[in-house]
């Protein structure tokens, strides 16, 4: 098994709280890996550490065996580690067209072009429009993000990460707050990702987790508690006791 | 999976419209250039408006587009002014345009070095840090009296003709045409820049730096770049002042100058490039008119204007012109052309 992303004894301490407690996690290349755990378990913190939004108190992070612990967020994005946010982080005053355009020109290394007018590269515009259509945003390309309905904003949140063409995609509760009947659009987009893209999914909805994941890690109080295949995790009595409780018993 | 060409056309057209010249803009510049011939007796104040507008445009680049607030932008203005005055006084560079470029480069160098101080921190820290830099520079110029003339200012500067042809005169005729052309060229550069992918990325950094970095944008890199460019603009504005008045004094670094500048931009509105220019026009004419009426009350009036603007645009200092800008952006060429065509056919 080739490992895409790996953490070694990762520790993150906030004043008084240990949000990540010696986490040593391996995510295989092309995996559909789910990270679950109760509220406040440290799932988002782990993503913050993996993407460089926060610096670990201790431990190391490796991408394809290379130490990336000291790299900044944008440098990691260039290496292919891209995330979405649990709470939308969008550009309220920009349109979806501009938003996706930003990510695509940055990925192509054209983000510093200052002498060229935005939209003057037909191939770039075509790619942006293709992404917007894929995420059902074609009808709102010219609306300010702030005025979009929440469901559309959530789609844009995910589309923006995909526009960076991730090699490792970290999804922090992508369906959070999206009504049941709109979720399939987001999940379909995630399912349609190329097989060689490595995905780490944080999700509370066990139906989504078990239909998606080929591997599950359970995080409790900042520490890795159990890890295994979906069947193993579903059967594990400790998991049932600590976290899954009734939900798995029903499944 | 290719999107249908129609969707791409819509997107392309929408993006092109972002950067299209609006009739109001064209009108603005026609009037500005026409003033060379129309108002020869107002050239002195128009010259001041030109360099003040350029100075405010520079602040707009960092405040309106990148969200960096500054109370010390006079640092770059002052460095540009002294550079131009010194180059002329010691006859190092005699041609004003060349001296202007060197002054701009000097200010850019200072902007680059000090940009690292504004990368992090709240608005308040940025206000304090920029203020501190300007105060430091002022004190430095004061101490280097042998070079700068200290508190007396730099006397005996004589500026040679522009391009060796156009001599500066006491009525400001050459000064205005020269300043306006410089302003226009730098405005074109700024306009290009803010409508480019780089300019768009500045807006993303201003709007949400966390997400900007999460899509691969180097937030620090962008801030350093625009701060450096804006410092160059401010330096050139200061050099224009020095060249059109043949003088530079410590006042170029003053706190009042930085504070007035912020006011100019607030009057005009930040974030659409014309705010600084319009603010400079209003500010200068108001100052001219009100201080002629009652010189000692000028600060009172300007204070009143500030309070009113901030109360009207309560939520954000940049927002009070938004309705006008919306109207302006709806007035695009085609709509206007259609309108004119429709009304002329009606008349027939
Ligand atoms: N910036 C911070 N400063 C202080 N404490 C923090 C910070 N961020 C997170 N924490 C704390 O760290 C712990 C883990 O938080 P985290 O957001 O990672 O949990 P989570 O597993 O993502 O929870 P949820 O399922 O609710 O999203 C919590 O106790 C939280 O209060
Ligand atoms: Mg979380």
């Amino acid at each position: 098994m080739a490992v895409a992303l790996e953490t070694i004894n990762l520790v993150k301490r906030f004043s008084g709280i240990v949000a990540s407690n010696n986490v040593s996690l391996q995510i295989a290349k092309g995996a559909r890996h789910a990270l679950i755990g109760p509220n406040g378990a440290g799932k988002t913190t782990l993503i913050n550490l993996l993407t460089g939004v926060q610096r670990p108190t201790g431990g190391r992070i490796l991408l394809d065996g290379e130490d990336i612990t000291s790299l900044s967020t944008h440098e990691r994005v260039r290496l292919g580690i891209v995330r979405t946010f649990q709470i939308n982080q969008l550009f309220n005053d920009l349109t979806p067209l501009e938003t996706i355009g930003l990510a695509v020109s940055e990925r192509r290394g054209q983000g510093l072009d200052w002498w060229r007018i935005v939209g003057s590269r037909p191939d770039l515009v075509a790619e942006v429009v293709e992404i917007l259509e894929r995420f059902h945003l074609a009808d709102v390309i010219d609306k300010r993000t702030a005025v979009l309905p929440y469901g559309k904003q959530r789609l844009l949140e995910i589309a923006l990460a995909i526009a960076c063409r991730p090699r490792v995609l970290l999804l922090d509760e992508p369906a959070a707050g999206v009504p049941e009947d709109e979720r399939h659009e987001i999940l379909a987009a995630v399912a349609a990702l190329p097989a060689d893209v490595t995905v780490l999914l944080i999700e509370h909805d066990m139906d989504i987790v078990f239909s998606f994941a080929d591997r599950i890690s359970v995080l409790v109080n900042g520490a890795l508690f159990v890890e295994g295949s979906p069947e193993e995790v579903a059967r594990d009595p400790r998991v049932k006791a600590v976290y899954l409780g009734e939900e798995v018993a029903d499944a | 999976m290719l999107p249908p060409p129609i969707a791409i056309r819509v997107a392309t057209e929408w993006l092109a419209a972002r950067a299209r010249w609006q009739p109001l803009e064209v009108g603005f510049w026609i009037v500005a250039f026409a003033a060379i011939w129309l108002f020869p007796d107002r050239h002195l104040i128009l010259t001041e408006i030109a360099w003040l507008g350029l100075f405010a445009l520079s602040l707009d680049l960092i405040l309106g587009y990148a969200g960096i607030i500054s109370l010390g932008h006079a640092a770059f203005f002052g460095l540009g002014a002294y550079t131009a005055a010194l180059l002329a006084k010691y006859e190092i560079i005699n041609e004003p345009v060349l001296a202007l470029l060197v002054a701009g480069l000097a200010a850019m160098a200072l902007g680059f070095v000090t940009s690292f101080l504004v990368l992090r921190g709240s608005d308040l820290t940025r206000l304090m840090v920029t203020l501190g830099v300007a105060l430091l520079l002022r004190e430095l110029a004061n101490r280097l009296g042998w070079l700068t003339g200290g508190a007396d200012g730099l006397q005996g500067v004589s500026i040679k003709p522009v391009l060796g042809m156009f001599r500066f005169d006491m009525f400001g005729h050459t000064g205005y045409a020269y300043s306006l052309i410089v302003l226009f060229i730098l405005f074109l550069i700024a306009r290009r820049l803010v409508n480019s992918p780089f300019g768009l990325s500045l807006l993303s950094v201003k709007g949400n730096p966390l997400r900007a970095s999460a899509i691969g944008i180097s937030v620090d890199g962008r801030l350093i770049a625009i701060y450096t460019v804006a410092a160059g603009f401010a330096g050139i504005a200061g050099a224009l002042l020095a060249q059109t008045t043949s003088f530079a004094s410590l006042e170029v670094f003053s706190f009042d100058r930085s504070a007035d500048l912020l006011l100019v931009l607030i009057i005009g509105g930040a974030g659409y490039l014309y705010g600084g220019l319009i603010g400079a026009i209003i500010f200068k004419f108001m100052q001219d008119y009100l201080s002629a009426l009652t010189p000692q009350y000028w600060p009172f009036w300007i204070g009143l204007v500030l309070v009113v603007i901030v109360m009207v645009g309560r939520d954000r200092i940049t927002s009070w012109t938004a309705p006008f800008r919306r109207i302006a952006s709806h007035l695009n060429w085609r709509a206007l052309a259609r309108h004119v065509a429709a009304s002329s056919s009606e008349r027939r």
Side-chain angles (χ1 to χ4, degrees):
Chain A
M1 173 188 89
V3 176
L5 195 58
E6 178 175 8
T7 70
I8 303 172
N9 298 329
L10 210 55
V11 178
K12 178 67 186 180
R13 230 174 265 127
F14 297 109
S15 52
I17 306 161
V18 184
S20 298
N21 190 357
N22 254 344
V23 178
S24 295
L25 178 69
Q26 293 193 334
I27 305 169
K29 264 207 179 83
R32 296 289 180 268
H33 199 127
L35 183 64
I36 62 176
N39 290 112
K43 305 180 295 296
T44 299
T45 301
L46 190 61
I47 290 208
N48 285 341
L49 297 176
L50 290 174
T51 52
V53 169
Q54 290 169 349
R55 299 276 151 189
T57 316
R60 299 198 300 144
I61 303 163
L62 310 182
L63 176 70
D64 298 329
E66 304 272 345
D67 193 319
I68 58 162
T69 319
S70 61
L71 296 188
S72 59
T73 302
H74 71 271
E75 288 167 329
R76 296 186 203 193
V77 174
R78 278 182 211 150
L79 295 177
I81 305 181
V82 184
R83 72 177 292 184
T84 66
F85 290 82
Q86 184 172 353
I87 298 165
N88 284 344
Q89 294 289 339
L90 295 167
F91 308 111
N92 275 334
D93 292 332
L94 303 185
T95 61
L97 189 55
E98 291 168 319
T99 302
I100 301 297
L102 269 170
V104 174
S105 24
E106 210 57 43
R107 197 197 72 228
R108 294 176 168 212
Q110 295 159 355
L112 271 172
D113 292 6
W114 66 271
W115 62 92
R116 209 166 39 70
I117 299 292
V118 169
S120 59
R121 284 185 195 271
D123 53 333
L124 192 147
V125 177
E127 182 181 341
V128 171
V129 171
E130 186 273 318
I131 294 171
L132 289 168
E133 296 205 320
R134 184 151 31 111
F135 284 86
H136 309 279
L137 291 162
D139 51 335
V140 294
I141 55 169
D142 58 348
K143 300 272 184 296
R144 271 182 72 228
T145 298
V147 304
L148 298 182
Y150 180 79
K152 293 278 184 192
Q153 290 190 2
R154 204 61 189 153
L155 283 166
L156 184 58
E157 172 74 35
I158 316 295
L160 187 51
I162 307 273
C164 299
R165 284 220 194 126
R167 287 170 53 224
V168 178
L169 179 62
L170 312 171
L171 297 163
D172 197 349
E173 302 192 25
V178 180
E180 206 76 46
D181 53 328
E182 288 178 32
R183 286 188 175 192
H184 67 273
E185 289 182 350
I186 288 171
L187 300 173
V190 173
L193 285 171
D196 59 342
V197 175
T198 307
V199 184
L200 179 70
L201 172 78
I202 296 179
E203 183 52 67
H204 284 297
D205 184 324
M206 287 306 131
D207 292 338
I208 296 180
V209 168
F210 280 92
S211 66
F212 164 87
D214 51 26
R215 192 138 190 100
I216 299 178
S217 298
V218 186
L219 204 63
V220 176
N221 288 330
L224 271 185
F225 186 63
V226 170
E227 193 190 311
S229 67
E231 297 74 32
E232 288 164 355
V233 171
R235 258 190 274 115
D236 195 304
R238 293 170 300 169
V239 176
K240 285 189 199 177
V242 166
Y243 174 64
L244 296 175
E246 294 307 304
E247 283 188 68
V248 171
D250 294 346
Chain B
M1 187 176 69
L2 273 179
I6 177 85
I8 296 178
R9 255 211 324 276
V10 169
T12 308
E13 171 55 27
W14 190 86
L15 288 172
R18 276 177 96 244
R20 194 170 288 138
W21 281 83
Q22 308 294 331
L24 278 179
E25 294 187 82
V26 178
F28 179 93
W29 289 106
I30 289 176
V31 171
F33 277 97
I36 295 177
W37 295 277
L38 292 182
F39 310 111
D41 53 333
R42 305 294 267 167
H43 280 172
L44 286 174
I45 190 172
L46 288 173
T47 305
E48 289 183 23
I49 289 173
W51 60 249
L52 181 60
L54 176 60
F55 190 21
L57 173 64
S58 158
L59 183 65
D60 197 10
L61 285 178
I62 62 165
L63 178 59
Y65 289 88
I68 305 172
I69 189 145
S70 166
L71 252 187
H73 220 47
F76 311 118
F77 183 88
L79 182 68
Y82 270 101
T83 305
L86 287 168
L87 288 175
K89 179 170 164 104
Y90 296 105
E91 307 198 340
I92 302 163
I93 297 178
N94 286 319
E95 202 290 305
V97 177
L98 207 57
L100 201 66
L101 287 176
V102 174
L105 288 176
M108 278 178 92
L110 180 66
F112 175 76
V113 173
T114 55
S115 69
F116 294 88
L117 300 172
V118 299
L119 289 183
R120 260 165 263 300
S122 62
D123 284 350
L124 187 64
T125 22
R126 282 171 168 171
L127 283 176
M128 292 302 118
V129 163
T130 49
L131 176 61
V133 169
L135 291 178
L136 274 175
L137 249 78
R138 183 182 187 283
E139 194 47 33
L140 195 66
N142 191 21
R143 288 294 157 87
L144 298 177
W146 58 271
L147 180 69
T148 63
D152 298 332
L154 200 63
Q155 314 275 352
V157 177
S158 91
I159 306 290
K160 298 282 178 307
V162 179
L163 303 174
M165 287 186 285
F166 307 100
R167 195 169 293 282
F168 285 102
D169 57 277
M170 61 181 291
F171 305 104
H173 300 322
T174 306
Y176 178 57
Y178 173 57
S179 305
L180 183 64
I181 290 169
V182 171
L183 170 65
F184 185 58
I185 292 171
L186 289 178
F187 178 86
L188 291 180
I189 293 174
R191 196 179 185 286
R192 190 86 189 179
L193 186 146
V194 302
N195 285 314
S196 70
F198 173 72
L200 186 58
S201 75
L202 290 179
L203 291 178
S204 79
V205 166
K206 178 189 175 202
N208 191 341
L210 173 64
R211 189 56 186 258
S213 65
I215 58 174
I217 294 172
S218 162
V219 172
D220 288 0
R222 299 298 145 92
L223 293 181
I224 291 169
I226 193 63
Y227 201 73
T228 304
V229 170
F233 275 46
I236 290 177
L240 282 178
L241 165 69
Q243 290 181 338
T244 54
T245 60
S246 308
F247 185 61
S249 72
L250 291 182
E251 187 271 335
V252 290
F253 289 113
S254 75
F255 168 72
D256 285 11
R257 188 177 289 283
S258 298
D260 281 353
L261 182 72
L262 205 50
L263 194 58
V264 165
L265 188 60
I266 292 170
I267 291 174
Y272 70 110
L273 287 189
Y274 284 90
L277 310 188
I278 292 168
I281 295 169
I282 297 174
F283 184 88
K284 276 291 172 196
F285 278 120
M286 210 163 62
Q287 189 181 40
D288 195 43
Y289 177 73
L290 291 174
S291 51
L293 237 80
T294 48
Q296 64 274 43
Y297 290 146
W298 161 242
F300 167 81
W301 289 114
I302 203 72
L304 184 70
V305 168
L306 180 63
V307 171
V308 168
I309 289 175
V310 174
M311 295 312 281
V312 170
R314 197 183 280 269
D315 49 344
R316 248 196 319 163
I317 56 169
T318 53
S319 67
W320 78 277
T321 52
F324 305 106
R325 270 180 279 154
R326 251 199 309 283
I327 294 169
S329 66
H330 281 304
L331 277 173
N332 66 39
W333 282 118
R334 283 148 198 244
L336 196 74
R338 271 199 301 275
H339 198 75
V340 170
S343 59
S344 62
S345 64
E346 261 169 37
R347 239 175 279 130
R348 233 176 277 128

